[in-house]
Each structure stands twice: as C-alpha cells, then as structure tokens.
Amino acid sequence: MDPQQRQFLEVTWQALYDAGRRPGELAGSATGVFVGVATGDYNELMAAHGGAPEAHMATGVAHAVLANRVSHLLDLRGPSEAIDTACSSSLVAVHHAVRALQHGDCELAVAGGVNLTLSPALYTTFDRAGMLSARGRCAAFDDSADGYVRGEGVGAVVLKPLDRALADGDPVQAVILGTAVNHTGRTPSLTAPNPHSQAEVIVEAVRAAGIDPRTIGFVQAHGTGTPLGDPVEIEGLKQAFARLYEDHDLPAPAEPHLAVGTVKANIGHLEAAAGIAGLLTTVLAMRHGLIPPHPHLSEANRYLRLDGTPLTLAHQARAWEPTADESGRPVRRAGVSSFGFGGSNAHVVLQTGERPRPGGPPRRGPRGAAVGPRRGGAGGLPPPARRRPRRAAGRRPRPGRLHLAGRPGGTAAPVRRGGRRPDSTRRRAARHGPGRRAPRRRDRPAGR
C-alpha cells in the first residue's frame, strides 16, 4: 500500500478526534472525504524493484482509493474524491468540500492533501525543468530566488456548516468565507503562470465572501520562489485588489495593510499538499495573532512594484492586529492561494472563528468553513455530548458559512534525510503526527 494512503488515513483519524468526533460514530453518515494527491512514487519503486504483481497492488497505489479507503474503513456515505490539479490539489479539495456541504451532498467533510517523495525521478525531472533551487533554499520574493525545495507533508481539516457548529457547541477556530477555482487558459507555455487568471480567482473568492478588501490583513501566497513565478503572482495580487477596491469605490490605500507571506520558505513546496499546508499555517497565524516572516528575504525581487498598493512583504514577524468586520466585531481575515503548474488555480478567504455577539445581526455573503480547537482545549468550552449525526429524510443543510470542527490535523516538513526534523521547520496541527505513535484506542483501525 502506498504510504500516502496510510498517512492520510492516520491524519484523518486524528483530525476527527481533535474535532471531538469518534470516527466509529460516523458510520452510515453523509460524511465526505476530499483529498489532494498527485505523485505516484511508490508505484515507481515497486516497478524498479521488479516485484511480482499481486492482487492488492491495484488498490494499493490507486489515487482514488486514497480517499475511498477512508470512506470504506469508517463507513462514510458522502462523496469520496481524490483530486489531482498538481500543486493546487489540496486547496481545490477544500473548495470541493465546501461546495458539497453547501449543496447538501454531505453534512460533514474531511478535506486535505498528502505528498511524500519516495523516488528520485521527479527530482531529476523538475531540476531539468529549472524549477528547483540549486542552493536548496526557497527564497520566495527575494532577489536571489532561484527555485523551490521539494517538501513532504500531510494535513486534513474537518468541515461543518457554521450554524450547525454553533448550535452544537463546537469551538470555531476559523471560518472559510469564500472559495474559488479557475484555470489559466492558453499561455505561452503549458506551465507559464498568468497574472490575469490569478487575479480573477482571488477576486471571485473575495466577492463570494462579500467583505471589504481593507479587512484582509494577510495573504498566504503560492510563493514558490521562482524568478518568473514570484513577480507574476505579485502582479496578480495587485490587479485583484485594484479591482476589489473599485468594487467598493475605495481610493488606493495611503499605507499598505496586506502582508504577503509563504510557508514554502519554511518547509519547502509540498506540491499536492501545499494548499492545505498554507491553510493550516494561516489558521495558526490568525489564532496567535502573528504575521509570520520570510526567513530568507533580505532584498525584495527587483521586479516587484509595490508602491501605491495595499501589499507589503513580511520581512519580520509582527503582531497581526484585528480589524472590525461589518458588524463591528474584531476579526482577522486572510487569503490563501495555491496554483498548479498545469494552470489550475484556487483561492480561499478565511476569518477568525470567535463566536458572534449574542443578538448581533447575521453576517451575510460568505459560504465557507470554520476551524476549531480540540473540544475542551484552547476554546475553554466543556466538551459537548457526542451524538451520532442523524439526517432527516430529504433534509438539506441551509446555505451559509461552514465550520471546520476541531484542530486541523497534519504535519508538514521539508525533506531531510538521515536525521530528525527540527521543531523550527515543522508545522504540526494535530496531537500526534505520522512519525509519533499515538496512544492506543479500542476503536483504532486494525493494522496501524
């Protein structure tokens, strides 16, 4: 079995526990599974070692089964989809999960992605294509940027409609206000980015959120650190926010308010899992009220033109001050971008998930999802009684925002051989990662 299947299964199990749900209690429920996955290194390894074909190999390496295995093991009856849009796969998976919840295809969803580098073949391919850094460092938006570093990681989040999450007493860590996906269309080459399509997907996500662009304080950029990709992405952000300011009849800002960062500078490019790594990092940044810095940014790329725009690069860590939302409640808002090298783009708009004020007016616009800490954890709320979800005949969830219940689960780290990954390079949002054995539970799946 491809280790990516096992890793995602383990992290899904952890994410559900951190959401306060016993996985066994979801049997028969309309729970969906959406996972981004792209590489097939394990199949290459088996072929290279010349092993005799066996019956279980077909399911052991199939990407479809990566999602289907979770649904099979837990007896989940909602959609079960593996999604491959290259580097944007896991953020596109989040978009699909949000849409499925809005349309009533499921009442709870697990969304995420996984990427393991098990074969040297893609290293050689990407290096010959000029994508990888010769220095082994992803210096996104720096003038010395020469490519990215491949990384490994797996992450998952649990999504739920926000109104139901609040009614059930779930602590909400973040809310997905809007999502959008599109494609670059025809460009000079298949892998060439297009700032206009990148701007369009950002504009559509923010419009879906229905919010003032001035309230967005951080963008988790795709930020691969390539000489071509970085200036194109900044140009797309400039175009997007110019249009959003026009939508609201706003003048150009006197001072920049929108910090641009990328976790790839810390942990490398997780490819199919890059989007979920960016989302998890942004949720943690919102929770701690801290804009994360670029560790390798000393001199901005000479082709970036930021004067007169709302954009600024996060040279240093700094406090992330909340802004007032449409009802006057202090919130932090952010965007997360993920762009596939074949042209599939995705953007998600997030907001901190504190409870709305009692009796306050309902918030309009966003269709999204929220992320919450483990029950009885950071939110300080007692764990509510655990119930098996029941779906009335013909019942469809009301349109509205969606809740990500529990802490997002997963790990992400740059590829390092022959040693333990240092804490400073890990992004861990679950109590137990794939490399650490969790306490045994009676209902843990067999064969762990």
Side-chain angles (χ1 to χ4, degrees), residues 253-303:
E255 296 291 336
H257 64 85
L258 184 58
V260 179
T262 175
V263 72
K264 291 180 180 65
N266 300 85
I267 64 173
H269 186 1
L270 271 59
E271 297 166 355
I276 197 68
L279 188 149
L280 298 180
T281 302
T282 305
V283 169
L284 292 171
M286 290 195 301
R287 187 170 72 184
H288 293 286
L290 186 71
I291 299 290
H294 290 268
H296 308 308
L297 181 60
S298 56
E299 182 179 353
N301 187 306
R302 69 192 70 183
Y303 298 110

Side-chain angles (χ1 to χ4, degrees), residues 18-21 160-173 353-356 370-387 403-406:
D18 285 333
R21 308 302 297 264
K160 184 178 180 181
L162 179 61
D163 55 352
R164 288 180 49 202
L166 296 177
D168 292 345
D170 295 329
V172 179
Q173 184 169 322
E354 291 85 1
R355 287 177 177 273
V371 190
R374 178 166 41 99
R375 294 182 190 270
L381 299 175
R386 292 175 175 171
R387 301 180 296 276
H403 161 72
L404 272 173

Side-chain angles (χ1 to χ4, degrees), residues 122-124 126-127 129-134 146-150 271:
L122 282 178
Y123 280 95
T124 303
F126 292 158
D127 183 59
M131 298 179 182
L132 301 185
S133 169
D146 64 344
Y148 71 84
V149 179
R150 299 189 73 200
E271 297 166 355

Side-chain angles (χ1 to χ4, degrees), residues 423-447:
D423 290 341
S424 61
T425 62
R426 288 184 293 179
R427 288 295 180 271
R428 191 176 296 274
R431 288 171 295 173
H432 310 291
R436 299 170 61 189
R437 183 172 298 278
R440 294 186 62 84
R441 298 186 177 98
R442 285 179 295 177
D443 54 352
R444 184 169 295 280

Side-chain angles (χ1 to χ4, degrees), residues 206-407:
V206 176
R207 285 175 177 170
I211 60 175
D212 186 329
R214 294 173 298 181
T215 62
I216 300 175
F218 178 67
V219 168
Q220 177 71 230
H222 186 60
T224 54
T226 58
L228 172 65
D230 288 354
V232 167
E233 182 167 9
I234 291 296
E235 182 61 30
L237 282 167
K238 288 162 57 178
Q239 292 182 19
F241 278 86
R243 291 170 57 183
L244 292 167
Y245 267 66
E246 289 176 3
D247 285 352
H248 291 77
D249 295 322
L250 297 171
E255 296 291 336
H257 64 85
L258 184 58
V260 179
T262 175
V263 72
K264 291 180 180 65
N266 300 85
I267 64 173
H269 186 1
L270 271 59
E271 297 166 355
I276 197 68
L279 188 149
L280 298 180
T281 302
T282 305
V283 169
L284 292 171
M286 290 195 301
R287 187 170 72 184
H288 293 286
L290 186 71
I291 299 290
H294 290 268
H296 308 308
L297 181 60
S298 56
E299 182 179 353
N301 187 306
R302 69 192 70 183
Y303 298 110
L304 305 185
R305 302 288 185 266
L306 301 180
D307 293 342
T309 75
L311 308 179
T312 182
L313 298 179
H315 288 268
Q316 297 178 337
R318 60 180 175 84
W320 185 351
E321 300 298 336
T323 59
D325 70 1
E326 291 70 23
S327 63
R329 187 173 62 99
V331 296
R332 297 184 181 95
R333 287 173 172 167
V336 180
S337 291
S338 195
F339 307 138
F341 75 163
S344 292
N345 305 318
H347 192 78
V348 170
V349 180
L350 298 170
Q351 173 180 291
T352 45
E354 291 85 1
R355 287 177 177 273
R357 293 179 299 183
R363 296 190 296 277
R364 298 174 178 268
R367 304 287 190 271
V371 190
R374 178 166 41 99
R375 294 182 190 270
L381 299 175
R386 292 175 175 171
R387 301 180 296 276
R388 178 170 177 169
R390 296 176 182 174
R391 186 174 184 178
R395 178 189 172 197
R396 296 174 68 89
R398 292 180 296 169
R401 307 184 184 203
L402 306 172
H403 161 72
L404 272 173
R407 290 186 300 172

Side-chain angles (χ1 to χ4, degrees), residues 28-288:
S29 68
T31 298
V33 179
F34 305 84
V35 55
V37 58
T39 57
D41 290 8
Y42 192 68
N43 198 23
E44 293 180 15
L45 286 180
M46 289 195 300
H49 285 79
E54 297 183 24
H56 62 267
M57 286 183 176
T59 56
V61 299
H63 285 165
V65 176
L66 199 149
N68 299 163
R69 190 180 295 278
V70 176
S71 301
H72 168 77
L73 179 71
L74 302 181
D75 191 18
L76 309 179
R77 308 298 175 87
S80 185
E81 302 175 6
I83 295 164
D84 179 4
T85 58
C87 312
S88 59
S89 298
S90 55
L91 207 62
V92 172
V94 171
H95 171 79
H96 282 215
V98 167
R99 291 300 177 90
L101 287 161
Q102 290 170 353
H103 295 158
D105 297 331
C106 55
E107 54 193 27
L108 190 74
V110 175
V114 58
N115 185 64
L116 298 182
T117 57
L118 308 175
S119 165
L122 282 178
Y123 280 95
T124 303
T125 299
F126 292 158
D127 183 59
R128 290 178 177 175
M131 298 179 182
L132 301 185
S133 169
R135 299 180 301 154
R137 176 173 293 180
C138 183
F141 305 116
D142 191 79
D143 200 49
S144 66
D146 64 344
Y148 71 84
V149 179
R150 299 189 73 200
E152 296 179 304
V154 53
V157 290
V158 181
L159 295 151
K160 184 178 180 181
L162 179 61
D163 55 352
R164 288 180 49 202
L166 296 177
D168 292 345
D170 295 329
V172 179
Q173 184 169 322
V175 178
I176 295 179
L177 302 180
T179 69
V181 297
N182 73 3
H183 189 270
T184 295
R186 178 173 291 181
T187 56
S189 71
L190 175 63
T191 60
N194 183 340
H196 306 299
S197 62
Q198 292 181 9
E200 185 65 31
V201 78
I202 294 169
V203 168
E204 290 303 313
V206 176
R207 285 175 177 170
I211 60 175
D212 186 329
R214 294 173 298 181
T215 62
I216 300 175
F218 178 67
V219 168
Q220 177 71 230
H222 186 60
T224 54
T226 58
L228 172 65
D230 288 354
V232 167
E233 182 167 9
I234 291 296
E235 182 61 30
L237 282 167
K238 288 162 57 178
Q239 292 182 19
F241 278 86
R243 291 170 57 183
L244 292 167
Y245 267 66
E246 289 176 3
D247 285 352
H248 291 77
D249 295 322
L250 297 171
E255 296 291 336
H257 64 85
L258 184 58
V260 179
T262 175
V263 72
K264 291 180 180 65
N266 300 85
I267 64 173
H269 186 1
L270 271 59
E271 297 166 355
I276 197 68
L279 188 149
L280 298 180
T281 302
T282 305
V283 169
L284 292 171
M286 290 195 301
R287 187 170 72 184
H288 293 286

